Amino acid sequence: MAMRQESPPMRLYRRVGHADLSAVGEIRAALRDFLRCRRRPEETDVAELLLSELVTNALIHTRNGAVVTVTSMAARLRVEVRDFTAGQEPAPYVPNADDGTHGRGLLLVQSLADSWGVTAKALGKVVWFELNVVTP
Protein backbone atom coordinates (compact mmCIF):
# COMPACT_ATOMS: atom_id res chain seq x y z
CA MET A 1 0.00 0.00 0.00
CA ALA A 2 1.50 3.33 -1.08
CA MET A 3 1.67 6.07 1.50
CA ARG A 4 0.18 9.39 0.52
CA GLN A 5 2.84 12.09 0.54
CA GLU A 6 1.95 15.36 2.18
CA SER A 7 2.44 18.32 -0.12
CA PRO A 8 5.01 20.89 0.97
CA PRO A 9 3.73 23.97 2.78
CA MET A 10 2.84 26.99 0.66
CA ARG A 11 3.76 30.47 1.92
CA LEU A 12 2.56 34.02 1.46
CA TYR A 13 4.94 36.76 2.59
CA ARG A 14 4.21 40.50 2.70
CA ARG A 15 5.84 43.55 4.29
CA VAL A 16 3.54 46.30 5.54
CA GLY A 17 4.81 49.83 6.10
CA HIS A 18 4.29 51.76 9.33
CA ALA A 19 1.02 53.71 9.56
CA ASP A 20 -0.22 52.29 6.25
CA LEU A 21 -3.67 51.27 7.43
CA SER A 22 -4.83 50.92 3.80
CA ALA A 23 -2.50 47.92 3.72
CA VAL A 24 -4.91 46.02 5.96
CA GLY A 25 -7.41 45.67 3.10
CA GLU A 26 -4.63 44.80 0.68
CA ILE A 27 -3.25 42.07 2.94
CA ARG A 28 -6.76 40.65 3.41
CA ALA A 29 -7.19 40.49 -0.37
CA ALA A 30 -3.80 38.81 -0.76
CA LEU A 31 -4.76 36.23 1.87
CA ARG A 32 -8.12 35.60 0.20
CA ASP A 33 -6.41 35.02 -3.17
CA PHE A 34 -3.77 32.80 -1.56
CA LEU A 35 -6.39 30.63 0.17
CA ARG A 36 -8.93 30.54 -2.64
CA CYS A 37 -8.11 26.95 -3.72
CA ARG A 38 -6.63 25.83 -0.41
CA ARG A 39 -9.36 26.44 2.17
CA ARG A 40 -13.11 26.49 2.53
CA PRO A 41 -14.73 29.95 2.39
CA GLU A 42 -15.67 29.98 6.08
CA GLU A 43 -12.06 29.14 7.06
CA THR A 44 -10.84 31.95 4.82
CA ASP A 45 -13.30 34.38 6.43
CA VAL A 46 -11.98 33.61 9.92
CA ALA A 47 -8.36 33.82 8.77
CA GLU A 48 -9.02 37.21 7.13
CA LEU A 49 -10.67 38.61 10.25
CA LEU A 50 -7.90 37.48 12.58
CA LEU A 51 -5.14 38.60 10.22
CA SER A 52 -6.65 42.05 9.90
CA GLU A 53 -6.81 42.35 13.70
CA LEU A 54 -3.14 41.43 14.12
CA VAL A 55 -1.94 43.66 11.28
CA THR A 56 -3.97 46.61 12.56
CA ASN A 57 -2.50 46.12 16.05
CA ALA A 58 1.03 45.99 14.63
CA LEU A 59 0.53 49.17 12.61
CA ILE A 60 -1.14 51.13 15.40
CA HIS A 61 1.13 50.08 18.26
CA THR A 62 4.55 49.96 16.57
CA ARG A 63 6.62 52.35 14.48
CA ASN A 64 8.48 50.10 12.08
CA GLY A 65 5.80 48.30 10.08
CA ALA A 66 5.29 44.56 10.08
CA VAL A 67 5.96 41.40 8.13
CA VAL A 68 3.14 38.94 7.49
CA THR A 69 3.86 35.28 6.81
CA VAL A 70 1.05 32.82 6.06
CA THR A 71 1.87 29.13 5.87
CA SER A 72 -0.72 26.74 4.46
CA MET A 73 -0.18 23.10 5.37
CA ALA A 74 -2.43 20.12 4.79
CA ALA A 75 -3.72 20.03 8.37
CA ARG A 76 -3.52 23.68 9.41
CA LEU A 77 -3.01 27.31 8.52
CA ARG A 78 -0.47 29.42 10.43
CA VAL A 79 -0.45 33.21 10.26
CA GLU A 80 2.38 35.26 11.77
CA VAL A 81 2.63 39.04 12.09
CA ARG A 82 6.07 40.24 13.11
CA ASP A 83 6.86 43.73 14.29
CA PHE A 84 10.26 45.22 14.92
CA THR A 85 9.67 47.25 18.07
CA ALA A 86 11.11 46.14 21.36
CA GLY A 87 8.82 46.41 24.32
CA GLN A 88 5.62 45.06 25.76
CA GLU A 89 3.97 41.87 24.69
CA PRO A 90 0.32 42.10 23.67
CA ALA A 91 -2.25 40.81 26.11
CA PRO A 92 -5.97 40.23 25.72
CA TYR A 93 -7.82 43.36 26.66
CA VAL A 94 -11.24 43.49 28.24
CA PRO A 95 -12.92 46.62 26.86
CA ASN A 96 -15.19 48.72 29.01
CA ALA A 97 -18.69 49.68 27.90
CA ASP A 98 -17.55 53.05 26.52
CA ASP A 99 -14.69 51.62 24.49
CA GLY A 100 -16.45 51.41 21.11
CA THR A 101 -14.69 48.96 18.85
CA HIS A 102 -11.12 49.23 20.16
CA GLY A 103 -9.35 46.54 22.11
CA ARG A 104 -11.19 43.45 20.97
CA GLY A 105 -8.66 42.11 18.45
CA LEU A 106 -6.79 39.68 20.67
CA LEU A 107 -10.03 38.55 22.27
CA LEU A 108 -11.22 37.57 18.78
CA VAL A 109 -7.96 35.77 18.10
CA GLN A 110 -8.19 33.98 21.44
CA SER A 111 -11.78 32.86 20.83
CA LEU A 112 -11.62 31.94 17.12
CA ALA A 113 -8.12 30.52 16.62
CA ASP A 114 -7.32 26.91 17.48
CA SER A 115 -4.06 28.18 18.99
CA TRP A 116 -2.23 31.48 19.22
CA GLY A 117 0.68 33.05 20.97
CA VAL A 118 3.49 35.56 21.05
CA THR A 119 7.14 34.77 20.34
CA ALA A 120 9.71 37.33 21.44
CA LYS A 121 12.52 38.10 19.00
CA ALA A 122 15.80 39.96 19.49
CA LEU A 123 14.00 42.96 18.01
CA GLY A 124 10.24 42.90 18.26
CA LYS A 125 7.89 39.96 18.42
CA VAL A 126 5.76 37.61 16.35
CA VAL A 127 2.07 37.34 17.17
CA TRP A 128 0.70 34.20 15.53
CA PHE A 129 -2.39 32.06 15.27
CA GLU A 130 -3.23 28.69 13.80
CA LEU A 131 -6.46 27.35 12.36
CA ASN A 132 -6.91 23.61 11.96
CA VAL A 133 -8.39 22.34 8.73
CA VAL A 134 -11.99 21.24 9.02
CA THR A 135 -12.49 17.95 7.23
CA PRO A 136 -15.95 17.21 5.85
Side-chain angles (χ1 to χ4, degrees), residues 4-89:
R4 182 176 163 224
Q5 280 192 319
E6 189 172 311
S7 58
M10 301 294 293
R11 287 196 173 81
L12 170 69
Y13 179 87
R14 293 283 189 277
R15 179 143 176 88
V16 182
H18 167 65
D20 184 9
L21 291 178
S22 66
V24 176
E26 294 167 11
I27 203 79
R28 283 178 67 119
L31 178 68
R32 190 176 323 111
D33 288 343
F34 176 73
L35 295 179
R36 181 165 288 140
C37 297
R38 293 178 177 92
R39 297 288 185 255
R40 295 175 26 196
E42 53 275 11
E43 293 170 330
T44 299
D45 292 345
V46 171
E48 276 186 63
L49 173 64
L50 301 184
L51 172 65
S52 63
E53 294 295 338
L54 295 187
V55 170
T56 300
N57 282 352
L59 295 180
I60 288 173
H61 299 293
T62 67
R63 299 177 193 255
N64 298 319
V67 170
V68 174
T69 306
V70 180
T71 306
S72 178
M73 297 161 272
R76 71 179 189 261
L77 177 73
R78 182 178 176 97
V79 176
E80 300 176 347
V81 178
R82 179 173 183 183
D83 68 54
F84 299 92
T85 302
Q88 81 270 20
E89 289 191 12

